Amino acid sequence: MRSAAVASVCVAVHTACNARLLRVAPPATTVPEGVSVILPVRDEAGRLDGCLAALLAATHLPRLEIIVYDDESTDGTDRLLAAWADRDPRVVALRGGAPPAGWLGKPHACARAAALARGSALVFVDADVTLAPDGLARAVLLLRATGLDLISPYPRQAAGGTAERLVQPLLSWLWLALLPLRIAERSPRPSLSAAGGQFLCVDAAAYRRAGGHAAVRDQIIEDVALLRAVKRAGGRGVVTDGTPLADNRMYTDWPSLRDGYAKSLAAAGGSPAASAAQVGLLGWLYVLPALAALRGRPAGVLGYLAGVTSRTIAARRTGGRVWPDPLAHPVSIGLLGYLTTVSWWRRRRGQATWKGRPVTASTDRWTPGVHPMEHPEQPPG
């Protein structure tokens, strides 16, 4: 127990160091280069208007285009999109059929849209993200100021219900607490990669050198896989502070949250053994000390408080709730373990789906026999 408490304290210290090192976007000034926003949508009628309105209100971007790819929506998204394209020439509306064999839906949609992009900077955004007026410009300016090939400005995670408040803060906490940011942005190691597909900014030339989304066409966690592809092509990238640039509410209820994590967590682990090891390590660091603290053991109290401190630092740095949510950190870790189990259970039973489509996972590697630079960026279909 004492070793777990000491390790938890070390993680809290590392969280504080990362909070100071997290790259922040500069103030907005005019961006002279062309910027292409890629927005893949599938059944997003309830979110599309808000997302597009925010994108079109972007400032400091005289050469902005927004390419929206509608992936077989059935809820009226296509009609809303057509109306937006009619009203504003900056919106390019695309609609396609089911992804071809070997492709998942989101990589396919992103690849089709990116193939038409004219900008030298590409910004990938999800429909559940609301950009600040200067958010796009500041993200591109940060990309250029750092000299990186890809940045992932992590949006402020909005959470409403109890399940959201327990689980969603873990997204930013995990990379802020456990990823050595300065090392990660220089290292080619795949394990030192974190990114959020809600908001990605990438140099267009580096994107194409890496093979674009064709290089990650079968990846459930395509955002991290894309960063790894950029690294394999000799580029660099890292997660950055997107708190003042964008808000993101991924899920609005327990069923959607459960299904979203059930889609992804097995792929994140890679294997049942690796997932079990990851969850076990987090449980050792944060659940066992909390249980020991309930029995009055001093080492347990120290470990529990270290976990709460780490979560509080992350919440303060990324715009989350600093009170009282971090107190439930052990419960959050336990719920993450449950969702990981559900993810593997569904995958093994062939029940992993997302928005009406089956999800199949694979390891993060090139398709056998196909080098990414030999595969066209634009998929067939």
Side-chain angles (χ1 to χ4, degrees):
M1 183 56 60
R2 186 172 300 174
S3 60
V6 171
S8 297
V9 171
C10 291
V11 172
V13 172
H14 184 256
T15 308
C17 292
N18 264 347
R20 294 180 63 86
L21 294 172
L22 185 61
R23 291 194 180 274
V24 178
T29 58
T30 299
V31 177
E33 66 183 294
V35 176
S36 299
V37 175
I38 310 299
L39 175 61
V41 294
R42 176 172 167 83
D43 292 337
E44 296 286 4
R47 289 170 159 165
L48 183 64
D49 284 345
C51 180
L52 276 177
L55 289 172
L56 290 168
T59 60
H60 303 90
L61 294 170
R63 299 172 57 195
L64 173 68
E65 66 176 2
I66 302 168
I67 306 174
V68 189
Y69 187 92
D70 177 28
D71 183 12
E72 288 195 313
S73 294
T74 60
D75 66 345
T77 295
D78 56 336
R79 294 190 295 274
L80 291 174
L81 178 56
W84 278 101
D86 286 341
R87 290 196 298 269
D88 196 309
R90 293 174 294 174
V91 177
V92 179
L94 304 175
R95 182 171 172 82
W103 287 77
L104 292 180
K106 185 175 180 181
H108 176 249
C110 289
R112 292 294 300 274
L116 299 182
R118 296 173 295 178
S120 54
L122 307 181
V123 181
F124 294 88
V125 176
D126 283 352
D128 53 16
V129 171
T130 303
L131 270 293
D134 62 353
L136 285 175
R138 294 182 66 188
V140 176
L141 291 169
L142 179 61
L143 177 75
R144 299 313 185 197
T146 59
L148 297 171
D149 299 283
L150 181 152
I151 61 169
S152 177
Y154 215 86
R156 187 184 74 84
Q157 296 296 314
T162 301
E164 293 175 75
R165 291 173 62 178
L166 285 171
V167 176
Q168 290 304 94
L170 293 178
L171 292 175
S172 51
W173 171 78
L174 281 166
W175 57 260
L176 196 59
L178 303 177
L179 182 71
L181 290 175
R182 284 293 183 266
I183 296 174
E185 72 177 42
R186 296 189 299 268
S187 172
R189 293 180 61 86
S191 59
L192 294 177
S193 301
Q198 308 101 321
F199 189 12
L200 280 174
C201 186
V202 59
D203 175 74
Y207 174 80
R208 295 183 177 108
R209 282 196 302 271
H213 277 82
V216 299
R217 55 190 173 274
D218 57 354
Q219 296 299 300
I220 295 173
I221 308 178
E222 88 297 330
D223 41 19
V224 177
L226 181 63
L227 174 54
R228 290 172 177 170
V230 168
K231 287 185 174 185
R232 281 192 289 257
R236 298 183 301 142
V238 76
V239 66
T240 65
D241 181 22
T243 305
L245 310 184
D247 288 345
N248 173 220
R249 187 172 184 184
M250 295 174 63
Y251 310 112
T252 58
D253 54 34
W254 166 248
S256 63
L257 183 148
R258 178 199 60 216
D259 293 345
Y261 280 90
K263 166 180 67 75
S264 303
L265 284 175
S271 71
S275 290
Q278 292 163 3
V279 172
L281 175 62
L282 292 174
W284 174 70
L285 284 170
Y286 300 111
V287 178
L288 289 183
L291 295 175
L294 292 175
R295 298 195 298 270
R297 295 180 61 181
V301 174
L302 176 62
Y304 168 70
L305 291 178
V308 171
T309 299
S310 179
R311 270 285 298 274
T312 301
I313 293 169
R316 187 179 298 278
R317 187 64 186 81
T318 59
R321 287 185 174 89
V322 298
W323 181 265
D325 297 29
L327 297 176
H329 188 53
V331 179
S332 297
I333 297 299
L335 191 52
L336 180 66
Y338 166 76
L339 291 169
T340 302
T341 302
V342 171
S343 184
W344 277 108
W345 174 261
R346 290 188 179 183
R347 179 177 175 181
R348 288 302 178 91
R349 294 173 63 89
Q351 296 175 346
T353 62
W354 184 246
K355 294 194 174 182
R357 283 183 182 153
V359 175
T360 54
S362 67
T363 55
D364 184 17
R365 60 170 67 95
W366 312 120
T367 296
V370 180
H371 189 278
M373 296 305 292
E374 298 170 350
H375 193 91
E377 179 182 317
Q378 182 175 3

